[in-house]
Coordinates of all heavy atoms in Angstrom, one line a residue:
M615 N -0.6 -4.8 -24.8 CA -0.7 -5.6 -23.6 C -0.1 -4.8 -22.4 O -0.7 -4.6 -21.4 CB 0.0 -7.0 -23.7 CG 0.0 -7.8 -22.5 SD -1.5 -8.8 -22.3 CE -1.1 -9.8 -21.0
K616 N 1.2 -4.3 -22.7 CA 1.8 -3.5 -21.7 C 1.1 -2.3 -21.3 O 1.0 -1.9 -20.1 CB 3.2 -3.1 -22.1 CG 4.3 -4.3 -21.9 CD 5.6 -3.7 -22.1 CE 6.6 -4.9 -21.9 NZ 8.0 -4.3 -21.8
S617 N 0.5 -1.6 -22.3 CA -0.3 -0.4 -22.0 C -1.5 -0.6 -21.1 O -1.8 0.0 -20.3 CB -0.7 0.4 -23.2 OG -1.6 -0.5 -24.0
S618 N -2.1 -1.8 -21.4 CA -3.3 -2.2 -20.6 C -2.9 -2.5 -19.2 O -3.5 -2.1 -18.2 CB -3.9 -3.4 -21.3 OG -5.0 -3.9 -20.5
A619 N -1.8 -3.2 -19.0 CA -1.3 -3.5 -17.7 C -1.0 -2.3 -17.0 O -1.2 -2.1 -15.7 CB -0.2 -4.6 -17.8
A620 N -0.3 -1.4 -17.6 CA 0.2 0.0 -17.0 C -1.0 0.7 -16.6 O -1.1 1.4 -15.6 CB 1.0 0.7 -18.0
W621 N -2.1 0.7 -17.6 CA -3.4 1.5 -17.1 C -4.0 0.8 -15.9 O -4.4 1.5 -15.0 CB -4.3 1.3 -18.3 CG -5.6 2.1 -18.1 CD1 -5.8 3.5 -18.1 CD2 -6.8 1.5 -17.6 NE1 -7.1 3.8 -17.8 CE2 -7.8 2.5 -17.5 CE3 -7.3 0.3 -17.3 CZ2 -9.1 2.4 -17.1 CZ3 -8.5 0.1 -16.9 CH2 -9.4 1.0 -16.8
R622 N -4.0 -0.5 -15.8 CA -4.5 -1.1 -14.6 C -3.8 -0.8 -13.3 O -4.3 -0.5 -12.4 CB -4.7 -2.6 -14.8 CG -5.9 -3.0 -15.8 CD -6.2 -4.5 -15.7 NE -5.0 -5.4 -15.8 CZ -4.6 -5.9 -17.0 NH1 -5.1 -5.5 -18.1 NH2 -3.5 -6.6 -17.1
I623 N -2.5 -0.8 -13.5 CA -1.6 -0.4 -12.3 C -1.8 1.0 -12.0 O -1.9 1.2 -10.8 CB -0.2 -0.8 -12.6 CG1 0.0 -2.3 -12.7 CG2 0.8 -0.3 -11.6 CD1 1.4 -2.7 -13.1
G624 N -1.9 1.8 -12.9 CA -2.2 3.3 -12.6 C -3.5 3.4 -11.9 O -3.6 4.2 -10.9
R625 N -4.5 2.7 -12.4 CA -5.9 2.8 -11.8 C -5.8 2.3 -10.3 O -6.5 2.9 -9.4 CB -7.0 2.1 -12.6 CG -8.4 2.4 -12.0 CD -9.3 1.7 -12.9 NE -9.3 0.3 -12.6 CZ -10.2 -0.7 -13.1 NH1 -11.1 -0.3 -13.9 NH2 -10.0 -2.0 -12.8
A626 N -5.1 1.2 -10.1 CA -5.0 0.6 -8.7 C -4.3 1.6 -7.9 O -4.6 1.7 -6.7 CB -4.3 -0.8 -8.8
R627 N -3.2 2.2 -8.4 CA -2.5 3.2 -7.6 C -3.4 4.4 -7.2 O -3.3 4.8 -6.0 CB -1.2 3.6 -8.3 CG -0.4 4.6 -7.4 CD 0.9 5.0 -8.2 NE 1.7 3.7 -8.3 CZ 2.4 3.2 -7.3 NH1 2.3 3.6 -6.1 NH2 3.2 2.1 -7.6
R628 N -4.2 4.8 -8.1 CA -5.2 6.0 -7.6 C -6.1 5.5 -6.7 O -6.4 6.3 -5.8 CB -5.8 6.4 -9.0 CG -4.9 7.3 -10.0 CD -5.6 7.9 -11.1 NE -6.3 7.0 -12.0 CZ -5.7 6.3 -12.9 NH1 -4.4 6.5 -13.2 NH2 -6.4 5.5 -13.6
R629 N -6.7 4.3 -6.8 CA -7.6 3.8 -5.9 C -6.9 3.7 -4.5 O -7.5 3.9 -3.4 CB -8.2 2.5 -6.3 CG -9.2 2.7 -7.5 CD -9.6 1.4 -8.0 NE -10.9 1.3 -7.7 CZ -11.7 0.2 -8.0 NH1 -11.2 -0.8 -8.6 NH2 -13.0 0.3 -7.7
L630 N -5.7 3.2 -4.6 CA -4.9 3.0 -3.2 C -4.6 4.4 -2.5 O -4.9 4.5 -1.3 CB -3.5 2.4 -3.6 CG -2.5 2.3 -2.5 CD1 -2.9 1.1 -1.6 CD2 -1.2 1.9 -3.1
D631 N -4.3 5.4 -3.3 CA -4.1 6.7 -2.7 C -5.4 7.2 -2.1 O -5.3 7.9 -1.1 CB -3.6 7.6 -3.8 CG -2.2 7.4 -4.2 OD1 -1.5 6.6 -3.5 OD2 -1.8 7.9 -5.3
S632 N -6.5 7.0 -2.8 CA -7.8 7.4 -2.3 C -8.2 6.7 -1.1 O -8.6 7.3 -0.1 CB -8.9 7.2 -3.4 OG -10.2 7.5 -2.9
A633 N -8.0 5.4 -0.9 CA -8.2 4.7 0.2 C -7.4 5.1 1.4 O -7.8 5.2 2.5 CB -8.1 3.1 0.0
R634 N -6.1 5.4 1.1 CA -5.2 5.9 2.1 C -5.7 7.2 2.7 O -5.5 7.4 3.9 CB -3.7 5.8 1.6 CG -2.8 6.3 2.6 CD -1.4 6.3 2.2 NE -0.9 4.9 2.3 CZ -0.3 4.3 1.3 NH1 -0.2 4.8 0.1 NH2 0.0 3.0 1.5
Y635 N -6.1 8.0 1.7 CA -6.5 9.4 2.3 C -7.8 9.2 3.1 O -7.9 9.9 4.2 CB -6.9 10.2 0.9 CG -7.5 11.5 1.2 CD1 -6.6 12.5 1.9 CD2 -8.8 11.7 1.1 CE1 -7.2 13.8 2.1 CE2 -9.4 13.1 1.4 CZ -8.6 14.0 1.9 OH -9.1 15.2 2.1
Q636 N -8.7 8.3 2.7 CA -9.9 8.1 3.4 C -9.6 7.6 4.9 O -10.3 8.0 5.9 CB -10.9 7.3 2.7 CG -11.6 8.0 1.5 CD -12.3 7.0 0.7 OE1 -12.6 6.0 1.0 NE2 -12.8 7.4 -0.5
L637 N -8.8 6.7 4.9 CA -8.4 6.1 6.2 C -7.8 7.0 7.1 O -7.9 7.0 8.3 CB -7.4 4.8 6.0 CG -8.1 3.5 5.7 CD1 -7.1 2.4 5.3 CD2 -9.0 3.0 6.8
L638 N -6.8 7.9 6.5 CA -6.2 8.9 7.3 C -7.2 9.9 7.9 O -7.1 10.3 9.0 CB -5.1 9.7 6.4 CG -4.2 10.7 7.1 CD1 -3.4 10.0 8.3 CD2 -3.3 11.2 6.2
R639 N -8.2 10.4 7.1 CA -9.2 11.2 7.6 C -10.0 10.5 8.8 O -10.3 11.3 9.8 CB -10.1 11.7 6.3 CG -9.6 12.6 5.3 CD -10.5 13.0 4.3 NE -11.7 13.4 5.0 CZ -12.8 13.7 4.3 NH1 -12.9 13.7 3.1 NH2 -13.9 14.1 4.9
L640 N -10.3 9.3 8.6 CA -11.0 8.6 9.6 C -10.2 8.6 10.8 O -10.6 8.7 12.0 CB -11.4 7.1 9.1 CG -12.1 6.2 10.1 CD1 -13.3 6.9 10.5 CD2 -12.3 4.9 9.6
W641 N -8.9 8.2 10.7 CA -8.0 8.2 11.8 C -8.0 9.4 12.6 O -8.0 9.5 13.8 CB -6.6 7.8 11.4 CG -5.6 7.9 12.5 CD1 -4.8 9.1 12.8 CD2 -5.1 6.9 13.3 NE1 -3.9 8.7 13.8 CE2 -4.2 7.4 14.2 CE3 -5.6 5.5 13.4 CZ2 -3.6 6.6 15.1 CZ3 -4.9 4.8 14.4 CH2 -3.9 5.4 15.3
I642 N -7.9 10.6 11.9 CA -7.9 11.9 12.4 C -9.1 12.2 13.2 O -9.1 12.7 14.3 CB -7.5 12.9 11.4 CG1 -6.1 12.8 10.9 CG2 -7.8 14.4 12.0 CD1 -5.7 13.6 9.7
S643 N -10.3 11.9 12.5 CA -11.6 12.1 13.2 C -11.7 11.3 14.4 O -12.2 11.8 15.5 CB -12.7 11.6 12.2 OG -12.8 12.5 11.1
V644 N -11.3 10.1 14.5 CA -11.4 9.3 15.7 C -10.5 9.8 16.7 O -10.9 9.9 17.9 CB -11.1 7.7 15.3 CG1 -10.9 7.0 16.6 CG2 -12.2 7.2 14.5
Y645 N -9.2 10.2 16.4 CA -8.3 10.7 17.3 C -8.9 12.0 17.9 O -8.7 12.2 19.1 CB -6.9 10.9 16.6 CG -5.8 11.4 17.5 CD1 -5.2 10.5 18.3 CD2 -5.5 12.8 17.6 CE1 -4.2 10.9 19.2 CE2 -4.6 13.2 18.6 CZ -3.9 12.3 19.3 OH -2.8 12.6 20.1
E646 N -9.3 12.9 17.1 CA -9.9 14.2 17.6 C -11.1 13.9 18.6 O -11.2 14.5 19.6 CB -10.3 15.1 16.5 CG -9.0 15.6 15.8 CD -9.6 16.5 14.5 OE1 -10.6 16.4 14.1 OE2 -8.6 17.2 14.0
A647 N -12.0 12.9 18.3 CA -13.1 12.7 19.1 C -12.6 12.1 20.4 O -13.2 12.4 21.5 CB -14.0 11.7 18.4
Q648 N -11.6 11.3 20.3 CA -11.1 10.6 21.6 C -10.5 11.8 22.4 O -10.5 11.8 23.6 CB -10.1 9.6 21.2 CG -9.2 9.2 22.3 CD -8.0 8.3 21.8 OE1 -8.2 7.4 20.9 NE2 -6.9 8.5 22.3
D649 N -9.8 12.7 21.8 CA -9.0 13.7 22.5 C -10.1 14.6 23.2 O -9.7 15.2 24.3 CB -8.1 14.5 21.5 CG -7.2 15.5 22.2 OD1 -6.7 15.0 23.2 OD2 -7.0 16.6 21.7
R650 N -11.3 14.9 22.7 CA -12.3 15.7 23.2 C -13.1 15.1 24.3 O -13.7 15.7 25.1 CB -13.3 16.2 22.2 CG -12.8 17.2 21.2 CD -13.7 17.8 20.3 NE -14.4 16.8 19.6 CZ -14.2 16.5 18.3 NH1 -13.3 17.2 17.6 NH2 -14.8 15.6 17.5
A651 N -12.9 13.7 24.4 CA -13.7 13.0 25.4 C -13.1 13.2 26.8 O -11.9 13.5 26.9 CB -13.7 11.5 25.0
D652 N -14.0 13.3 27.7 CA -13.5 13.5 29.1 C -12.8 12.3 29.7 O -11.9 12.5 30.6 CB -14.8 13.8 30.1 CG -15.4 15.2 29.7 OD1 -14.5 16.0 29.1 OD2 -16.5 15.3 30.1
H653 N -13.1 11.2 29.2 CA -12.5 9.9 29.8 C -11.5 9.4 28.6 O -11.5 9.9 27.5 CB -13.6 8.9 30.1 CG -14.5 8.7 29.1 ND1 -14.2 7.8 27.9 CD2 -15.7 9.2 28.8 CE1 -15.4 7.9 27.1 NE2 -16.3 8.7 27.6
G654 N -10.8 8.3 29.1 CA -9.9 7.7 28.1 C -10.6 7.1 27.0 O -11.9 6.9 27.0
P655 N -9.9 6.6 26.0 CA -10.6 5.9 24.8 C -11.4 4.6 25.3 O -10.8 3.9 26.1 CB -9.5 5.6 23.9 CG -8.2 5.6 24.6 CD -8.5 6.5 25.8
S656 N -12.5 4.4 24.6 CA -13.2 3.2 25.0 C -12.6 2.0 24.2 O -11.8 2.3 23.3 CB -14.7 3.3 24.5 OG -14.8 3.5 23.2
M657 N -13.1 0.8 24.6 CA -12.5 -0.4 24.0 C -13.0 -0.4 22.5 O -12.2 -0.7 21.6 CB -13.1 -1.6 24.6 CG -12.4 -2.9 24.1 SD -10.6 -2.7 24.4 CE -10.4 -3.7 25.9
H658 N -14.2 0.2 22.2 CA -14.6 0.3 20.8 C -13.6 1.1 20.0 O -13.2 0.8 18.9 CB -15.9 0.8 20.7 CG -16.6 1.1 19.3 ND1 -16.8 0.0 18.5 CD2 -16.7 2.2 18.6 CE1 -17.3 0.4 17.4 NE2 -17.2 1.7 17.3
V659 N -13.2 2.3 20.5 CA -12.3 3.3 19.8 C -10.9 2.6 19.7 O -10.3 2.7 18.7 CB -12.2 4.6 20.6 CG1 -11.1 5.4 20.2 CG2 -13.5 5.3 20.7
K660 N -10.5 1.9 20.7 CA -9.1 1.1 20.6 C -9.3 0.2 19.5 O -8.3 0.1 18.7 CB -8.7 0.6 22.0 CG -8.4 1.5 23.0 CD -8.1 0.8 24.2 CE -7.7 1.8 25.4 NZ -7.5 1.0 26.6
R661 N -10.2 -0.5 19.4 CA -10.5 -1.6 18.2 C -10.6 -0.9 17.0 O -9.9 -1.4 16.0 CB -11.8 -2.4 18.5 CG -11.4 -3.6 19.6 CD -12.6 -4.5 19.6 NE -13.9 -4.0 19.7 CZ -14.6 -4.0 20.9 NH1 -14.2 -4.7 22.0 NH2 -15.8 -3.5 21.1
L662 N -11.3 0.2 16.9 CA -11.4 0.9 15.5 C -10.0 1.4 15.1 O -9.6 1.4 14.0 CB -12.4 2.0 15.8 CG -12.6 2.8 14.4 CD1 -13.1 2.2 13.3 CD2 -13.5 4.0 14.8
M663 N -9.4 2.0 16.0 CA -7.9 2.6 15.7 C -7.1 1.4 15.2 O -6.2 1.5 14.4 CB -7.5 3.5 16.8 CG -8.1 4.7 16.9 SD -7.5 5.8 18.2 CE -6.4 6.7 17.2
L664 N -7.1 0.3 15.9 CA -6.2 -0.9 15.5 C -6.7 -1.3 14.1 O -5.7 -1.7 13.4 CB -6.4 -1.9 16.6 CG -5.7 -3.3 16.3 CD1 -4.2 -3.1 16.2 CD2 -6.0 -4.4 17.3
R665 N -7.9 -1.3 13.9 CA -8.3 -1.8 12.6 C -7.9 -0.8 11.6 O -7.4 -1.2 10.4 CB -9.9 -1.8 12.5 CG -10.5 -2.2 11.3 CD -10.1 -3.6 10.7 NE -10.3 -3.9 9.4 CZ -11.4 -4.6 9.0 NH1 -12.2 -5.1 9.8 NH2 -11.6 -4.7 7.6
I666 N -7.9 0.4 11.8 CA -7.4 1.4 10.8 C -5.9 1.2 10.6 O -5.4 1.2 9.4 CB -7.7 2.9 11.3 CG1 -9.2 3.1 11.3 CG2 -6.9 3.8 10.4 CD1 -9.6 4.4 11.9
Q667 N -5.1 0.9 11.6 CA -3.7 0.5 11.4 C -3.5 -0.7 10.6 O -2.6 -0.7 9.8 CB -3.1 0.4 12.8 CG -2.9 1.7 13.7 CD -2.4 1.4 15.1 OE1 -2.6 0.4 15.6 NE2 -1.7 2.4 15.5
Q668 N -4.4 -1.7 10.7 CA -4.2 -2.9 10.1 C -4.5 -2.5 8.6 O -3.8 -3.1 7.7 CB -5.1 -4.0 10.6 CG -4.7 -4.5 11.9 CD -5.8 -5.4 12.6 OE1 -6.9 -5.4 12.2 NE2 -5.3 -6.1 13.6
D669 N -5.6 -1.9 8.4 CA -5.9 -1.5 6.9 C -4.9 -0.7 6.3 O -4.6 -1.0 5.1 CB -7.2 -0.7 7.0 CG -8.4 -1.6 7.3 OD1 -8.3 -2.8 7.3 OD2 -9.5 -1.1 7.5
M670 N -4.2 0.2 7.0 CA -3.1 0.9 6.4 C -1.9 0.1 6.1 O -1.3 0.3 5.0 CB -2.7 2.1 7.4 CG -3.6 3.2 7.6 SD -3.9 4.2 6.1 CE -2.6 5.4 6.4
Q671 N -1.7 -0.9 6.9 CA -0.6 -1.8 6.7 C -1.0 -2.7 5.4 O 0.0 -2.9 4.5 CB -0.4 -2.8 7.8 CG 0.7 -3.8 7.5 CD 2.0 -3.1 7.3 OE1 2.5 -2.3 8.2 NE2 2.7 -3.6 6.3
Q672 N -2.2 -3.0 5.2 CA -2.6 -3.7 4.0 C -2.3 -2.9 2.8 O -1.9 -3.3 1.7 CB -4.1 -4.2 4.0 CG -4.2 -5.4 5.0 CD -5.7 -5.8 5.1 OE1 -6.6 -5.0 4.7 NE2 -5.9 -7.0 5.6
L673 N -2.7 -1.6 2.9 CA -2.4 -0.6 1.9 C -1.0 -0.5 1.4 O -0.6 -0.4 0.3 CB -3.1 0.7 2.1 CG -4.6 0.9 2.2 CD1 -5.0 2.1 2.6 CD2 -5.3 0.4 0.7
D674 N -0.2 -0.5 2.5 CA 1.2 -0.4 2.3 C 1.8 -1.7 1.6 O 2.6 -1.7 0.7 CB 2.1 -0.3 3.6 CG 1.8 1.1 4.2 OD1 1.4 2.0 3.5 OD2 2.2 1.2 5.5
D675 N 1.3 -2.8 1.9 CA 1.6 -4.1 1.2 C 1.1 -4.1 -0.1 O 1.9 -4.6 -1.2 CB 1.0 -5.3 2.0 CG 1.6 -5.5 3.4 OD1 2.6 -5.0 3.7 OD2 0.9 -6.3 4.1
L676 N 0.0 -3.5 -0.4 CA -0.5 -3.5 -1.8 C 0.4 -2.4 -2.6 O 0.7 -2.9 -3.8 CB -1.9 -2.9 -1.9 CG -2.7 -2.8 -3.2 CD1 -2.6 -4.1 -4.0 CD2 -4.1 -2.3 -3.1
E677 N 0.8 -1.5 -2.1 CA 1.7 -0.5 -2.8 C 3.0 -1.1 -3.1 O 3.5 -1.0 -4.2 CB 2.0 0.8 -1.8 CG 2.8 1.8 -2.7 CD 2.9 3.1 -1.9 OE1 2.9 3.1 -0.6 OE2 3.0 4.1 -2.5
T678 N 3.6 -2.0 -2.2 CA 4.7 -2.7 -2.5 C 4.6 -3.7 -3.6 O 5.4 -3.7 -4.6 CB 5.2 -3.5 -1.3 OG1 5.5 -2.5 -0.2 CG2 6.5 -4.3 -1.5
Y679 N 3.5 -4.3 -3.7 CA 3.0 -5.2 -4.7 C 3.0 -4.5 -6.1 O 3.5 -4.9 -7.0 CB 1.8 -6.0 -4.5 CG 1.2 -6.8 -5.5 CD1 1.9 -8.0 -5.9 CD2 0.2 -6.4 -6.4 CE1 1.4 -8.8 -6.9 CE2 -0.2 -7.1 -7.5 CZ 0.4 -8.4 -7.8 OH 0.0 -9.1 -8.8
L680 N 2.3 -3.3 -6.0 CA 2.2 -2.5 -7.4 C 3.6 -2.1 -7.8 O 3.8 -2.1 -9.0 CB 1.3 -1.3 -7.1 CG -0.2 -1.6 -6.9 CD1 -0.9 -0.3 -6.6 CD2 -0.7 -2.1 -8.2
K681 N 4.4 -1.6 -6.9 CA 5.8 -1.2 -7.4 C 6.6 -2.4 -7.9 O 7.2 -2.3 -8.9 CB 6.5 -0.7 -6.2 CG 6.2 0.6 -5.7 CD 7.0 1.1 -4.4 CE 6.5 2.5 -4.0 NZ 7.2 2.9 -2.8
Q682 N 6.3 -3.6 -7.5 CA 6.9 -4.8 -8.1 C 6.4 -5.1 -9.4 O 7.2 -5.4 -10.3 CB 6.7 -6.0 -7.1 CG 7.5 -6.0 -5.9 CD 7.1 -7.1 -4.9 OE1 6.1 -7.8 -5.2 NE2 7.8 -7.3 -3.8
Q683 N 5.1 -4.9 -9.6 CA 4.5 -5.1 -10.9 C 4.9 -4.1 -11.9 O 5.2 -4.5 -13.1 CB 2.9 -5.1 -10.7 CG 2.3 -6.2 -9.9 CD 2.7 -7.6 -10.5 OE1 2.5 -7.9 -11.7 NE2 3.3 -8.4 -9.7
E684 N 5.1 -2.9 -11.5 CA 5.7 -1.8 -12.4 C 7.1 -2.1 -12.7 O 7.5 -1.8 -13.8 CB 5.6 -0.4 -11.7 CG 4.1 0.0 -11.6 CD 4.1 1.4 -10.9 OE1 4.9 1.7 -9.8 OE2 3.3 2.2 -11.2
A685 N 7.8 -2.6 -11.8 CA 9.3 -3.0 -12.1 C 9.4 -4.1 -13.2 O 10.3 -4.1 -13.8 CB 10.0 -3.3 -10.8
H686 N 8.5 -5.0 -13.2 CA 8.4 -6.1 -14.2 C 8.0 -5.7 -15.5 O 8.0 -6.5 -16.5 CB 7.5 -7.2 -13.7 CG 8.2 -7.9 -12.5 ND1 8.8 -7.3 -11.4 CD2 8.2 -9.3 -12.2 CE1 9.1 -8.3 -10.6 NE2 8.9 -9.4 -11.1
Q687 N 7.6 -4.5 -15.7 CA 7.0 -4.1 -17.1 C 8.2 -3.6 -17.8 O 9.1 -2.9 -17.5 CB 5.9 -3.1 -16.9 CG 4.6 -3.8 -16.4 CD 3.5 -2.9 -16.6 OE1 3.5 -1.8 -17.3 NE2 2.3 -3.4 -16.1

């Protein structure tokens, strides 16, 4: 039972790392595109960057949860 739970936590951690990496790449792409624009960021870009920040916070919360689950094993 413990090995199964540890495997699931490990898999969740790998997926979390992958999602964090993808969000970071998206953030960088949006930031670079905004930086190249002649005008300031549009409202759409601001909303997208806010959404990315919220998703990153959710990933941080999930990581905290996974650490708690690992501690209980």
